[in-house]
Amino acid sequence: MNKLPVLLTLLAGLLAGPALAQDTDGEVRKIDRAAGKITIKHGEIRNLDVPPMQMVFRAQPPELLDKVQVGDKVRFHAEKVGGTYTITAIEVRK
């Protein structure tokens, strides 16, 4: 049995995964460090099928919130973790 097509399919899926992850631009509107949450007005979040809006995210790890201030223009990555919209990476845009 030739396993090469199966291996090539698996490899293609692994390589395509990171390419599907997309960062989103937004503006920080509120930070609740005690709760580990951040409110961002953002553009479309394609990987979550979320239209442009303002919404609250959990930060994971919570230390991500130390990198930003209210009013900052940011680029971030969000995922749905345990049913909660979660920021997993964030950086201030210059």
Side-chain angles (χ1 to χ4, degrees), residues 24 42-53 55 57 85:
T24 303
H42 60 79
E44 178 183 13
I45 305 175
R46 291 184 184 174
N47 63 307
L48 296 175
D49 196 28
V50 173
M53 67 174 73
M55 61 190 288
F57 297 89
Y85 291 110

Side-chain angles (χ1 to χ4, degrees), residues 26-45:
E27 181 180 337
V28 177
R29 294 296 179 98
K30 182 179 178 184
I31 300 171
D32 183 346
R33 286 184 173 81
K37 295 182 178 180
I38 184 170
T39 303
I40 299 178
K41 181 179 179 184
H42 60 79
E44 178 183 13
I45 305 175

Side-chain angles (χ1 to χ4, degrees), residues 1 7 12 23 25 27-28 30 36-37 41 43 45 56 58 70-71 73 77 81 87:
M1 179 170 151
L7 291 174
D23 289 341
D25 293 325
E27 181 180 337
V28 177
K30 182 179 178 184
K37 295 182 178 180
K41 181 179 179 184
I45 305 175
V56 178
R58 183 172 157 245
V70 172
K73 305 279 191 222
H77 183 76
V81 178
I87 300 283

